[in-house]
């Protein structure tokens, strides 16, 4: 009996050489670290060194998050990853009416350079790699990070890390957008230009399929829509006058790792192959680094369950293994209690230990691309690639990612798949351990981490003090300069940095841009 994959593709009971007829191993595979990078973007992969173990954390105040970062570093984390609260993601200060009830809840509250200073107190920014999960206001948080690094005495050329900066997927699946697509893409191009000139080692964007998967996208939809967004960003930068090989080496991607291990490995391999071909054939990239799809992976939060949460430890281990076998460059493993609340110190440590066991107690780092030549995985890689390319072609036929977003295409396709998954779960055709099979009569009690509701008041007090002590005329002048740049064609990051240096707040800077560019209003037209 033939089963179907998460993307609805057939999984045969047995694969053999007959399934690879007409397959050109030399042309499709090549060697690790060479075009089309099916087997990995680097020749030695983990035989040289393991992936970056980058644990995602942030909650409450900057000081509380700083304490968690120090713990993670002490336990062996090799890269930090910052979670911001919802007001920060939406460009609102903690004392704004729209921020009420959300301050510090799903990430750390950052209102000004003073909060960023507290967030990284005692952490040398020239010695750590930091990823920041921030999109619409990504430029602001990057500049705040740079300002704090400069205060520490670090040079901008020493800074390494990533800003997510992928606003297109916000319109598709997540919703933390601020500005309409056109000015948002202009801001993205300005970030590319700024980092090329000022922070050359920084990864300027992490083009994300993770949040699409959380919204219900299949593996094929995840990579198809993510790569289509990537094409839109590259076109925007080229149209702004940049040479593709000047910025493409700093592009990165962000994918999910599900429990369906074989298809996930095939997905990662297919995505590398598609991107390499697009960059070489469509955009004429010549630098091999421009062709490399480098990506971060996070295990699938959407597959974690509040029922029997300790079972999530098993799910996360399988998902992490899929990411590693698929050739990820960095990895975050979710904590087992994240379906209930923010992770506790113990659960965050266990999540990190999962990666350390894979890296140091298994043999998956002993050889590059262990699944190369597997009849099943090679066939599945081809099928995922073919289906993803077909879906990318549908996006292109609608005029590209932005035009498709404006018609609601990607969102409606993802919602259809999410509905299918929900139906299969409700009917029992899709087994979810502890949810629709193998349940307990009564769940064991669990005490989650809770955020102090007084944080909002304390953040408001900090803002009141900041506004009373700063030079308001300097702030006003800097915000005026930012508005003028936004109205014209100058790079907005330079006046934005000066406004933040003068201690303008995140909300004030975003409001200045809202006044020029407007705010995005979603439509349901497809």
């Amino acid at each position: 009996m033939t089963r179907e994959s998460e993307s609805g593709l057939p999984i045969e009971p047995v694969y053999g050489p007959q399934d690879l007829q007409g397959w050109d191993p030399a042309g499709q595979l090549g060697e690790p670290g060479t075009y089309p990078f099916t087997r990995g973007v680097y020749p030695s992969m983990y035989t040289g060194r393991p992936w970056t173990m980058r644990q995602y954390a942030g909650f409450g105040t900057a000081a509380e998050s700083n304490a968690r970062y120090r713990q993670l570093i002490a336990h062996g984390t090799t890269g930090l990853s910052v979670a911001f609260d919802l007001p920060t993601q939406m460009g609102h200060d903690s004392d704004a009416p729209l921020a009420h009830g959300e301050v510090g809840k799903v990430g750390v509250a950052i209102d000004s350079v003073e909060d960023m200073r507290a967030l990284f107190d005692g952490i040398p920014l020239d010695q750590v790699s930091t990823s920041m999960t921030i999109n619409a206001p990504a430029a602001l948080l990057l500049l705040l990070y740079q300002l704090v690094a400069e205060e520490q005495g670090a040079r901008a050329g020493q800074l390494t890390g990533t800003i997510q900066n992928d606003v297109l997927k916000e319109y598709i699946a997540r919703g933390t957008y601020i500005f309409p697509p056109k000015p948002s893409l202009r801001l993205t191009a300005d970030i590319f230009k700024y980092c090329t000139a000022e922070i050359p080692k920084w990864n300027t964007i992490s083009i994300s399929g993770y949040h699409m998967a959380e919204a219900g996208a299949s593996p094929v939809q995840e990579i198809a829509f993510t790569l289509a967004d990537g094409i839109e960003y590259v076109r925007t930068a080229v149209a702004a006058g940049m040479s593709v090989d000047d910025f493409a080496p700093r592009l990165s991607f962000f994918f999910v790792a599900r429990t369906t291990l074989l298809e996930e490995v095939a997905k990662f391999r297919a995505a590398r192959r598609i991107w390499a071909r697009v960059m070489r054939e469509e955009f004429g990239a010549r630098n091999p680094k421009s062709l490399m799809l480098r990506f971060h992976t996070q295990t699938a939060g959407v597959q974690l369950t509040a029922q029997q949460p300790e079972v999530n430890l098993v799910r996360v281990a399988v998902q992490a293994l899929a990411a590693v076998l698929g050739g990820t460059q960095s990895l975050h493993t979710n904590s087992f209690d994240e379906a209930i609340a923010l992770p506790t110190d113990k659960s965050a440590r266990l999540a990190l230990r999962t990666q350390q066991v894979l890296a140091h107690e298994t043999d998956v780092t002993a050889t590059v691309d262990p699944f190369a030549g597997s009849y099943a995985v090679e066939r599945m890689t081809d099928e995922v690639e073919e289906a993803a390319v077909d879906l990318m072609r549908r996006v292109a036929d609608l005029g590209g990612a932005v035009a498709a977003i404006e018609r609601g295409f990607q969102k409606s396709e993802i919602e259809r798949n999410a509905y299918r998954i929900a139906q299969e779960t409700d009917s029992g055709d899709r087994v979810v351990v502890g949810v629709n099979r193998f349940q307990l009569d009564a769940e064991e009690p669990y005490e989650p981490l809770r955020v102090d509701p007084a944080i909002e008041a304390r953040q408001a007090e900090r803002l009141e003090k900041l506004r009373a002590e700063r030079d308001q005329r300097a702030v006003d002048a800097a915000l005026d300069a930012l508005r003028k740049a936004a109205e014209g064609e100058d790079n907005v990051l330079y006046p934005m940095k000066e406004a933040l240096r003068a201690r303008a707040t995140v909300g004030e800077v975003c409001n200045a841009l809202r006044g020029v560019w407007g705010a995005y209003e979603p439509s349901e037209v497809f």
Side-chain angles (χ1 to χ4, degrees):
M1 177 177 146
T2 300
R3 289 178 53 182
E4 283 192 348
S5 73
E6 287 285 295
S7 298
L9 302 172
I11 303 178
E12 302 298 337
V14 178
Y15 290 91
Q18 71 278 1
D19 294 295
L20 303 179
Q21 287 179 356
W23 183 59
D24 173 14
Q28 290 286 338
L29 279 178
E31 296 297 324
T34 64
Y35 185 87
F37 303 102
T38 309
R39 302 192 61 191
V41 292
Y42 302 121
S44 61
M45 289 302 289
Y46 312 135
T47 64
R49 67 178 180 87
W51 59 93
T52 299
M53 299 179 195
R54 190 185 296 283
Q55 286 303 106
Y56 184 50
F59 63 95
T61 65
E64 288 174 300
S65 293
N66 175 264
R68 175 65 64 85
Y69 296 154
R70 288 171 181 253
Q71 289 174 345
L72 288 170
I73 290 170
H75 290 311
T77 292
T78 53
L80 298 176
S81 185
V82 183
F84 297 97
D85 72 355
L86 194 57
T88 304
Q89 293 180 50
M90 300 292 289
H92 297 297
D93 289 332
S94 295
D95 59 356
L98 284 172
H100 180 61
E102 292 292 342
V103 176
K105 290 292 180 66
V106 298
V108 61
I110 298 294
D111 292 312
S112 71
V113 68
E114 294 186 358
D115 288 330
M116 188 66 85
R117 190 181 299 127
L119 185 64
F120 290 104
D121 181 45
I123 299 174
L125 299 187
D126 57 349
Q127 297 176 32
V128 299
S129 171
T130 303
S131 173
M132 293 187 279
T133 303
I134 195 73
N135 294 283
L140 285 76
L141 277 300
L142 172 62
L143 293 172
L144 290 172
Y145 187 88
Q146 184 186 3
L147 287 168
V148 171
E150 289 173 353
E151 291 176 0
Q152 292 183 356
R155 298 189 307 275
Q158 296 175 292
L159 302 181
T160 60
T162 304
I163 44 173
Q164 192 163 102
N165 190 30
D166 176 13
V167 74
L168 292 182
K169 66 95 173 47
E170 299 295 330
Y171 305 119
I172 295 171
R174 192 160 176 266
T176 61
Y177 41 71
I178 299 176
F179 316 113
K182 186 175 180 179
S184 292
L185 288 174
R186 179 258 178 99
L187 185 54
T188 298
D190 282 356
I191 292 170
F192 288 179
K193 291 177 182 178
Y194 180 87
C195 287
T196 298
E198 307 292 342
I199 317 178
K201 293 183 180 179
W202 198 267
N203 295 317
T204 54
I205 194 169
S206 180
I207 307 163
S208 176
Y210 180 87
H211 305 91
M212 299 184 204
E214 293 286 281
S218 70
V220 163
Q221 289 174 333
E222 178 194 353
I223 64 169
F225 293 149
T226 303
L227 297 183
D229 286 353
I231 290 170
E232 194 80 46
Y233 290 125
V234 173
R235 285 177 179 159
T236 298
V238 170
M242 298 188 74
S243 169
V244 68
D245 286 322
D246 286 344
F247 67 88
R250 303 315 306 173
L251 302 178
S252 64
F253 291 80
F254 175 22
F255 295 117
V256 77
R258 300 169 180 81
T259 51
T260 44
L261 186 147
L262 295 180
E263 187 179 17
E264 292 300 287
V265 172
K267 177 192 77 177
F268 295 132
R269 298 169 92 248
R272 278 194 294 268
R273 204 152 72 196
I274 296 168
W275 187 248
R277 186 170 61 247
V278 165
M279 293 303 289
R280 188 168 77 170
E281 296 179 5
E282 182 171 342
F283 294 106
R286 293 292 174 262
N287 184 342
K289 292 183 178 179
S290 299
L291 312 179
M292 294 179 182
L293 185 144
R294 297 172 301 113
F295 65 96
H296 169 72
T297 308
Q298 181 172 337
T299 56
V302 73
Q303 292 186 320
L304 302 184
T305 64
Q307 299 92 333
Q308 301 179 47
E310 66 279 2
V311 178
N312 293 328
L313 288 164
V314 181
R315 294 186 177 101
V316 169
V318 173
Q319 293 162 0
L321 181 59
V324 170
L325 292 172
T328 192
Q329 276 58 69
S330 66
L331 177 62
H332 163 83
T333 33
N334 290 326
S335 301
F336 74 90
D337 51 359
E338 287 188 34
I340 301 171
L342 290 170
T344 62
D345 290 344
K346 181 177 181 179
S347 64
R349 184 171 64 250
L350 283 170
L352 175 61
R353 294 289 185 255
T354 302
Q355 297 199 49
Q356 291 166 336
V357 168
L358 288 176
H360 302 293
E361 294 190 24
T362 76
D363 56 2
V364 296
T365 61
T367 186
V368 178
D369 191 20
F371 272 127
S374 158
Y375 296 136
V377 169
E378 297 297 0
R379 173 67 178 267
M380 292 172 77
T381 300
D382 290 346
E383 290 177 340
V384 169
E385 177 184 14
E386 181 180 1
V389 169
D390 284 346
L391 190 51
M392 291 170 69
R393 191 172 295 117
R394 292 178 66 190
V395 173
D397 289 345
L398 290 170
V402 170
I405 286 167
E406 290 172 342
R407 295 190 61 185
F409 172 69
Q410 299 98 319
K411 186 172 182 290
S412 64
E413 290 292 301
I414 290 170
E415 287 172 350
R416 270 194 283 270
N417 193 67
Y419 182 60
R420 175 181 66 86
I421 292 170
Q423 285 183 308
E424 291 173 359
T425 304
D426 290 344
S427 68
D429 292 339
R430 176 183 293 265
V431 175
V432 182
V433 174
V435 174
N436 61 7
R437 200 178 297 184
F438 314 115
Q439 300 102 316
L440 294 176
D441 292 334
E443 292 288 334
E444 297 176 8
Y446 178 78
E447 183 58 35
L449 177 68
R450 301 186 189 279
V451 174
D452 184 356
I455 284 172
E456 185 172 330
R458 292 201 296 270
Q459 280 296 112
E461 289 171 4
R462 286 171 61 84
L463 280 165
E464 184 179 6
K465 184 172 183 289
L466 176 143
R467 293 185 182 116
E469 294 177 348
R470 69 189 181 182
D471 182 344
Q472 189 60 44
R473 284 204 285 187
V475 172
D476 292 341
L479 291 174
D480 283 342
L482 174 62
R483 291 186 192 94
K484 289 178 183 176
E487 290 167 353
E489 297 182 356
D490 291 343
N491 192 314
V492 298
L493 269 75
Y494 291 96
M496 186 184 291
K497 184 180 180 184
E498 294 312 307
L500 294 168
R501 191 198 305 275
R503 299 200 291 174
T505 67
V506 168
E508 289 166 342
V509 171
C510 288
N511 285 338
L513 294 176
R514 283 185 182 97
V516 178
W517 292 340
Y520 178 69
E521 295 292 337
S523 61
E524 302 284 348
V525 295
F526 195 81

